[in-house]
């Protein structure tokens, strides 16, 4: 039986942190077993914010190494680099003819970016959702795993797919749906600043490649309070956050130990943080080592990218042929 198709793009910027690891990455790892998955590094998209060539290449290599180290399996999923599949850009050009200025200008992510980089409000930013739609529908995706920030972009992809089907009285494109499996029971990793969520832009994250010294420093600086004053008192958010992190990386005995100290008002946050830092280090060290190993393995990375591009192109070429026929391109010679 044919498995439903999943497509997801990854930004080649920044490092994966613990929040990503227990969120999106674990989701990918589960999905690769049950779906026909296309995961790609969105390097063309990243040009909308003008990274330098060196940064671009370094970013692509880093995320590729990180996702592979976390367990994305190139034997199960198709993992590739967006710019290695020129058919995506071709479909993007066709879709642009049926995308309207008004709707693109109204997109939240465009308005945000235009505000962030007022000196570089380029057409690529405006048509970002069109390229994203091309990424998705070129593989006839049934599902796209999306976080809150990408919901509107996926809505646009659905709109462009429907519009194309309607205009050309065809059904070439299935209408992609948001994939929220695991959404409810997925572990949410809190930040170290007392906030609810670990995030790159929040500056409260621990990266998977972070070295032990830096992990210790970050954890020791985590926000706490002056300590409990009543027995068995409810933990305020910042303290609960540290316990939530412990639940993930420490043994149940360790968690119970500090929980008891808290309940007896005998806790010393310095001790808790020291333990937490060591347990995070123990947890991330094998992942960090694997990232560094893969990151330095040119031959392996090249092989993964090449195989991925071949598989992705096979699917993309097939769709593009149908699309061109539908649009009315006829071979003259
Ligand atoms: N826009 C997505 C992000 O910023 C990345 C992306 C590009 C994507 N193309 C995609 C995600 C296609 C899902 C499907 O995270």
């Amino acid at each position: 039986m044919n498995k439903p198709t999943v497509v997801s793009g990854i930004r080649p910027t920044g490092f994966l942190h613990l929040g990503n690891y227990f969120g999106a990455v674990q989701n990918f790892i589960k999905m690769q077993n049950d779906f026909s998955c296309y995961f790609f590094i969105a390097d063309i998209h990243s040009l909308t914010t003008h990274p330098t060539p060196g940064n671009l290449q370094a970013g692509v290599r880093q995320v590729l190494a990180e996702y592979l180290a976390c367990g994305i399996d190139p034997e199960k999923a198709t993992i590739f680099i967006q710019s290695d599949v020129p058919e995506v850009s071709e479909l993007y050009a066709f879709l642009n003819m049926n995308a309207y200025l008004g709707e693109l200008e109204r997109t939240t992510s465009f308005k945000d970016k235009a505000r962030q980089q007022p000196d570089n409000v380029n057409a690529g930013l405006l048509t970002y959702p069109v390229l994203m739609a091309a990424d998705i529908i070129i593989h006839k995706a049934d599902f796209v795993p999306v976080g809150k920030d990408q919901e509107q972009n996926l809505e646009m992809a659905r709109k462009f797919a429907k519009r194309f089907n309607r205009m050309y009285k065809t059904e070439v494109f299935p209408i992609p749906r948001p994939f929220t499996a695991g959404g409810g029971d997925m572990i949410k990793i809190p930040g170290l600043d007392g906030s609810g969520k670990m995030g790159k832009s929040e500056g409260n994250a621990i990266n998977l490649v972070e070295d032990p010294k830096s992990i210790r420093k970050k954890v020791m600086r985590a926000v706490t309070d002056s300590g409990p004053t009543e027995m068995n008192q409810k933990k305020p958010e910042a303290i609960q956050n540290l316990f939530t992190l412990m639940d993930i990386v420490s043994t149940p005995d360790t968690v119970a130990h500090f929980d008891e100290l808290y309940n007896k008002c005998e806790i010393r946050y310095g001790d808790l943080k020291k333990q937490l830092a060591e347990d995070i280090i123990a947890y991330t060290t094998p992942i960090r080592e694997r990232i560094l190993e893969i990151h330095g393995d040119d031959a392996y990375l090249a092989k993964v990218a090449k195989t991925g591009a071949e598989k992705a192109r096979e699917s993309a070429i097939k769709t593009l042929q149908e699309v061109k026929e539908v649009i009315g391109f006829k071979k003259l010679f």
Side-chain angles (χ1 to χ4, degrees):
M1 205 189 69
N2 267 348
K3 293 176 179 174
T5 300
V6 166
V7 170
S8 192
I10 303 159
R11 266 169 286 180
T13 48
F15 300 105
L16 283 178
H17 54 68
L18 281 176
N20 303 132
Y21 183 75
F22 288 103
V25 179
Q26 291 308 319
N27 221 1
F28 279 14
I29 288 169
K30 264 188 265 159
M31 280 187 299
Q32 66 184 354
N33 296 314
D34 305 327
F35 299 94
S36 165
C37 290
Y38 292 86
F39 300 134
F40 67 94
I41 302 168
D43 59 347
I44 305 179
H45 272 114
S46 78
L47 295 177
T48 57
T49 49
H50 262 175
T52 60
N55 283 349
L56 182 59
Q57 212 212 26
V60 169
R61 173 184 279 260
Q62 185 68 32
V63 288
L64 185 56
E66 292 198 341
Y67 275 84
L68 292 169
C70 289
I72 299 290
D73 183 349
E75 305 271 318
K76 292 179 183 166
T78 300
I79 174 148
F80 64 101
I81 299 163
Q82 188 183 32
S83 62
D84 281 343
V85 182
E87 289 75 19
V88 170
S89 299
E90 207 174 334
L91 180 58
Y92 166 58
F94 298 150
L95 293 178
N96 266 328
M97 310 307 166
N98 307 320
Y100 304 114
L101 185 58
E103 63 190 348
L104 296 171
E105 278 176 337
R106 279 193 302 275
T107 313
T108 320
S109 52
F110 172 67
K111 289 192 282 188
D112 286 347
K113 277 283 178 232
R115 222 175 293 123
Q116 285 164 22
Q117 49 182 64
D119 299 330
N120 183 17
V121 185
N122 58 73
L125 273 185
L126 185 72
T127 56
Y128 186 110
V130 186
L131 180 56
M132 180 158 155
D135 291 329
I136 295 168
I137 66 180
I138 203 156
H139 300 297
K140 304 197 176 195
D142 299 295
F143 296 105
V144 181
V146 277
K148 265 260 161 287
D149 64 325
Q150 295 300 314
E151 272 172 11
Q152 192 182 28
N153 282 337
L154 178 60
E155 206 39 62
M156 306 278 285
R158 289 165 55 84
K159 197 195 268 186
F160 297 141
K162 282 184 206 164
R163 188 177 290 161
F164 187 95
N165 286 350
R166 190 166 3 93
M167 285 188 65
Y168 295 105
K169 298 187 175 51
T170 164
E171 285 178 9
V172 237
F173 296 124
I175 310 306
R177 281 179 286 161
F179 184 87
T180 42
D185 53 57
M186 220 151 74
I187 315 172
K188 198 170 95 186
I189 305 297
L192 292 170
D193 53 355
S195 80
K197 195 167 174 255
M198 186 176 281
K200 182 174 80 141
S201 40
E202 285 78 2
N204 61 11
I206 293 180
N207 297 326
L208 296 176
V209 280
E210 197 115 18
D211 59 75
K213 210 170 124 206
S214 167
I215 293 177
R216 284 189 195 102
K217 213 159 108 192
K218 282 190 178 174
V219 174
M220 294 317 284
R221 270 197 312 225
V223 173
T224 51
D225 59 15
S226 51
T229 51
E230 280 168 48
M231 305 278 275
N232 302 314
Q233 121 188 16
K234 186 174 177 320
K235 301 183 184 81
E237 189 176 19
I239 307 304
Q240 181 54 53
N241 285 354
L242 297 181
F243 275 90
T244 303
L245 285 169
M246 260 201 161
D247 275 331
I248 292 158
V249 294
S250 307
T251 65
D253 284 353
T254 306
V255 181
H257 169 71
F258 284 101
D259 204 41
E260 197 190 325
L261 290 176
Y262 185 88
N263 287 333
K264 290 194 297 193
C265 300
E266 286 171 14
I267 192 152
R268 295 201 332 223
Y269 290 137
D271 295 344
L272 176 135
K273 286 176 171 180
K274 262 190 210 134
Q275 181 71 46
L276 177 60
E278 293 318 306
D279 291 344
I280 290 177
I281 291 165
Y283 193 94
T284 54
T285 293
I287 307 173
R288 181 181 73 252
E289 285 173 351
R290 182 117 187 85
I291 293 172
L292 297 176
E293 185 190 325
I294 294 177
H295 190 272
D297 192 342
D298 282 343
Y300 178 66
L301 287 172
K303 190 177 135 233
V304 168
K306 184 165 176 276
T307 315
E310 279 166 8
K311 283 200 278 176
R313 286 197 74 186
E314 197 182 306
S315 152
I317 286 168
K318 223 166 115 207
T319 306
L320 200 61
Q321 264 164 2
E322 291 175 49
V323 165
K324 285 172 113 169
E325 213 162 285
V326 163
I327 291 179
F329 292 111
K330 296 275 179 320
K331 278 215 160 62
L332 286 180
F333 305 103

